[in-house]
Amino acid sequence: MYEVNYHRAGSLEEALKLLKDADDGKLISGGQTLIPAMKTRLAAPSDLVDLRHIAELRGISVSGRTVTIGAGTTHAEVASNADIEKICPALCHLANLIGDPHVRHMGTIGGSLANNDPAADYPAAMLAMSATILTNAREIVAEDFFTGLFETALEEDEIITAVRFDAPAKAGYAKFPNPASRYAMTGVFVVQDGGAVRAAVTGAGDDGVFRSAEVEEALAKDFSPAALDGINVPADALMTDIHASAAYRAGLIVAMAKRAVVMANG
Ligand SMILES: Cc1cc2nc3c(=O)[nH]c(=O)nc-3n(C[C@H](O)[C@H](O)[C@H](O)COP(=O)(O)OP(=O)(O)OC[C@H]3O[C@@H](n4cnc5c(N)ncnc54)[C@H](O)[C@@H]3O)c2cc1C
């Protein structure tokens, strides 16, 4: 590590000012991505503005089927929230699959969404549930928020304050984890609500999280695992890396979508 100025912000307003005043400031929430990046010098901010102690960024509220999760809420808090469990257990399940206990107790939903790692779990849920990302300045729908690998629609000095979504009638999530990191080698979040079906895939796309038209089309006709038998998910826009080929990931999308549907159907 190298020298860095640390600031503990007490309010959103203070965090915005600290960020604006810094030479090359960076927000830090759980530090689960940023600290490793700093250790390897992939990131070298002059100042860290810590959001962890800002009360207004933390907490979960559920009103009817509308869920609002503060950006500073940890994965463990989402995983164990009884109100979310009642109406959207798939999200608790997803949060519980992230990393290990340390990562789940430190990492936050806001940090995960801002980072938009192509193998992160939350982006799939947010895209499938058509969530809205709230910032200090505006509201951004998930379709417009995730713009590419580690890229989002956030402006330089913009802070995510919360995410909001309406819990769908049915939702399920399944991932094939990388055995070392637990990040998704492929993960699929499926939703059925009224007549609409949405299926978002993480860990597999060359350009980050995306919706699978093939999976959605098949499940719109019949929301059952059998409907996915023999469907062809093209591998051309999928990722090949040391862990798996694009063709293997195409197969994983179908396999994970089937498991997610089983969960969604209870
Ligand atoms: C060993 C290990 C295993 C992991 N496994 C998984 C996994 O299986 N699935 C998964 O999804 N993730 C996984 N993660 C990542 C983890 O979920 C992190 O919590 C997440 O990527 C970042 O959240 P954070 O709160 O730690 O953010 P930080 O590291 O503090 O910040 C990450 C980035 O987001 C920015 N940021 C933070 N908060 C905000 C905000 N409110 N508004 C705007 N920008 C903000 C920061 O400036 C930084 O650029 C893993 C991490 C580790 C170390």
Side-chain angles (χ1 to χ4, degrees):
M1 294 282 272
Y2 57 94
E3 201 174 318
V4 61
N5 301 311
Y6 170 85
H7 310 272
R8 175 174 166 162
S11 68
L12 190 58
E13 202 183 329
E14 192 189 356
L16 286 163
K17 181 166 181 345
L18 285 164
L19 197 58
K20 196 160 166 269
D21 291 348
D23 274 351
D24 180 19
K26 211 143 179 47
L27 301 166
I28 184 162
S29 293
Q32 296 305 290
T33 296
L34 187 53
I35 297 291
M38 288 172 68
K39 280 183 174 167
T40 50
R41 307 229 162 190
L42 286 169
S46 62
D47 296 69
L48 286 177
V49 178
D50 191 351
L51 302 177
R52 250 190 120 65
H53 306 279
I54 302 180
E56 63 197 288
L57 295 186
R58 297 194 76 128
I60 294 170
S61 78
V62 176
S63 167
R65 293 193 71 81
T66 303
V67 179
T68 307
I69 305 175
T73 307
T74 64
H75 311 326
E77 286 166 339
V78 173
S80 63
N81 185 272
D83 294 332
I84 300 181
E85 180 71 36
K86 268 190 218 138
I87 55 170
C88 191
L91 192 70
C92 299
H93 172 68
L94 174 151
N96 201 37
L97 293 176
I98 296 175
D100 51 45
H102 173 90
V103 171
R104 291 196 289 276
H105 280 88
M106 291 297 290
T108 66
I109 191 166
S112 175
L113 296 177
N115 194 49
N116 193 18
D117 188 300
D121 297 287
Y122 277 127
M126 296 302 119
L127 189 58
M129 294 197 289
S130 218
T132 300
I133 287 87
L134 314 182
T135 78
N136 60 298
R138 58 191 168 138
E139 300 192 353
I140 312 168
V141 290
E143 283 79 357
D144 297 334
F145 183 82
F146 303 109
T147 54
L149 298 183
F150 298 102
E151 296 286 338
T152 69
L154 288 174
E155 299 289 341
E156 196 137 308
D157 287 352
E158 197 168 3
I159 299 181
I160 300 177
T161 54
V163 297
R164 189 182 62 221
F165 61 90
D166 286 335
K170 291 182 176 184
Y173 181 66
K175 81 166 164 181
F176 190 86
N178 178 311
S181 70
R182 317 309 293 168
Y183 272 102
M185 241 148 80
T186 293
V188 182
F189 199 100
V190 297
V191 158
Q192 189 194 42
D193 204 27
V197 170
R198 292 167 66 95
V201 178
T202 188
D206 236 354
D207 206 22
V209 66
F210 68 98
R211 284 173 61 191
S212 167
E214 296 77 18
V215 171
E216 289 184 358
E217 204 179 301
L219 292 178
K221 289 185 198 132
D222 171 16
F223 197 73
S224 79
L228 297 168
D229 281 342
I231 69 159
N232 179 32
V233 173
D236 18 323
L238 301 184
M239 199 193 310
T240 289
D241 60 15
I242 54 165
H243 305 299
S245 67
Y248 187 73
R249 282 188 161 93
L252 280 180
I253 290 174
V254 179
M256 293 306 112
K258 284 185 178 185
R259 289 184 195 175
V261 172
V262 170
M263 170 183 241
N265 283 336

